[in-house]
Amino acid sequence: MHRRSLLLAAASAASLGSLTGCRSSTPTPTTSASTSPAAPATSAAPPPKIVDGPLPAITAGTRFGEKPTLAKAKGQPSKDLAVRTVIAGNGPTAAANDYVQVDFLGQIWGTAKDFDNSYDRKKSVFIRLDPTGTLDGWRYALTGKKAGSRIELSVPPTWAMGTQGNAQLGIKGSDTLIFVMDVQATFNAKSSAHGRKAAPNDAALPKVGTNTDGKAPVIDIPKTAAPGKLVANYVLKGNGPAVKADSAVLLQYKGVVWDTGKEFDSTYSRNAPTALTLQQVIKGWSQGLTGKNVGSRVLLVVPPNLAYGNSPPPGGPIKNDSTLVFTVDILAAS
């Protein structure tokens, strides 16, 4: 029932964000995109030793959230993973398997040229800190860091692109990579919307639970005919920015079939949120979530023509011409 989906980030086809991906299962996206660098498929590297240098100086853009400028790295890089906290944040601490939202800049050791950065795109990226979620160097460096922190790191090939490198980015298999990363926020399996309760829905529409304890909200479907048009109503209305049509979003969600009430997919059952782009999902999601505020819980009732129609995912509870019901928590957007 579940397919492997890769998460979205960068606009550039040659960026780290668009070339590699993160693990997340959901039948909702119609195609795949990516948000963060992933370790090579053949990677089975042991945990690195973490040291504090050498690392080049940050010469400009020294504030958190500003695009940094790095001095050219001189001499030989460490053969270990070098990590330095440049700015110590005081937000929640990122743990293994959590998602982090970061801005980053990357250079190859010995050059002063960026090969990729999220600052110019004005789109931070979502990274899951698990073995298949991102580069090993990022995972080990970011685990244990607090939101609001800026870190600088140098990553040898073993924990970066491996011996194959990345030709599109001009990275050779022998290259050590340098990154500056601003940790904007952290999210885990218990993350939830925390908006204010919206006015009750029409009695002919499903009722969705308003709990914010990280558990899956209950969806109570009325014994009436499903609506013929898309429903996208607030259950909890957040006060974050409005989601755009081209946004990457981090979500908690659950989906059930209107006619049977059977659950067919849920981030809660996988114990992790999921990141995706609204350009890569069924039309009911892209239309229904665009314009909604970050921090919200949204009820989506998606008619067949905006879902799977007569081509549902094989082997599951979604049948031809099924109306689908979702509760979706918008945790973050970029």
Side-chain angles (χ1 to χ4, degrees):
M1 178 61 186
H2 295 152
R3 73 175 66 171
R4 175 181 168 90
S5 70
L6 306 181
L7 313 182
L8 167 84
S12 168
S15 72
L16 286 173
S18 63
L19 288 173
T20 52
C22 304
R23 183 180 64 191
S24 171
S25 297
T26 168
T28 305
T30 55
T31 58
S32 294
S34 155
T35 60
S36 69
T42 57
S43 174
K49 178 182 178 181
I50 297 179
V51 297
D52 62 2
L55 287 164
I58 299 174
T59 57
T62 57
R63 296 179 183 177
F64 181 88
E66 290 182 331
K67 179 185 175 182
T69 300
L70 286 171
K72 183 178 180 180
K74 298 179 181 179
Q76 294 300 310
S78 174
K79 294 181 179 179
D80 300 311
L81 177 63
V83 182
R84 179 183 300 158
T85 298
V86 180
I87 298 171
N90 57 9
T93 301
N97 298 315
D98 285 357
Y99 271 95
V100 291
Q101 183 177 8
V102 302
D103 277 305
F104 75 94
L105 174 141
Q107 288 186 2
I108 298 171
W109 186 278
T111 76
K113 182 179 179 181
D114 305 346
F115 62 79
D116 193 21
N117 81 88
S118 66
Y119 300 92
D120 288 345
R121 293 188 293 272
K122 301 188 185 302
K123 280 185 174 291
S124 53
V125 299
F126 300 111
I127 304 165
R128 190 176 181 195
L129 302 180
D130 79 338
T132 61
T134 188
L135 295 179
D136 281 339
W138 281 28
R139 175 167 62 96
Y140 287 113
L142 291 169
T143 299
K145 297 298 186 291
K146 293 180 180 293
S149 296
R150 166 171 283 192
I151 64 170
E152 184 182 4
L153 57 153
S154 71
V155 188
T158 300
W159 299 284
M161 295 296 178
T163 56
Q164 69 269 38
N166 187 313
Q168 284 184 278
L169 294 174
I171 298 170
K172 300 189 297 291
S174 58
D175 283 334
T176 290
L177 307 182
I178 307 167
F179 296 98
V180 177
M181 307 186 77
D182 288 332
V183 184
Q184 302 287 347
T186 68
F187 305 90
N188 59 33
K190 298 297 184 183
S191 294
S192 173
H194 285 91
R196 67 181 186 274
K197 291 182 181 180
N201 287 323
D202 188 311
L205 294 175
K207 293 182 174 60
V208 174
T210 58
N211 57 296
T212 57
D213 55 2
K215 296 180 181 179
V218 172
I219 300 176
D220 184 13
I221 299 175
K223 297 185 183 301
T224 59
K229 295 183 179 180
L230 176 68
V231 173
N233 292 346
Y234 284 113
V235 178
L236 302 172
K237 186 172 182 181
N239 58 7
V243 173
K244 299 178 182 179
D246 63 348
S247 288
V249 289
L250 187 68
L251 308 173
Q252 291 272 34
Y253 72 89
K254 181 174 80 172
V256 302
V257 180
W258 179 288
D259 288 342
T260 64
K262 288 185 178 180
E263 180 180 307
F264 59 85
D265 193 23
S266 171
T267 58
Y268 302 96
S269 65
R270 295 194 295 275
N271 294 312
T274 195
L276 47 82
T277 161
L278 294 189
Q279 294 178 318
Q280 307 290 347
V281 295
I282 58 174
K283 291 180 180 179
W285 273 42
S286 58
Q287 293 179 19
L289 296 179
T290 297
K292 294 295 190 288
N293 297 98
V294 171
S296 298
R297 176 170 298 162
V298 180
L299 164 68
L300 293 178
V301 182
V302 184
N305 66 308
L306 298 179
Y308 295 104
N310 60 3
S311 300
I318 303 176
K319 306 304 179 184
N320 285 349
D321 296 323
S322 289
T323 293
L324 307 181
V325 183
F326 296 93
T327 171
V328 182
D329 282 16
I330 308 171
L331 304 180
S334 176

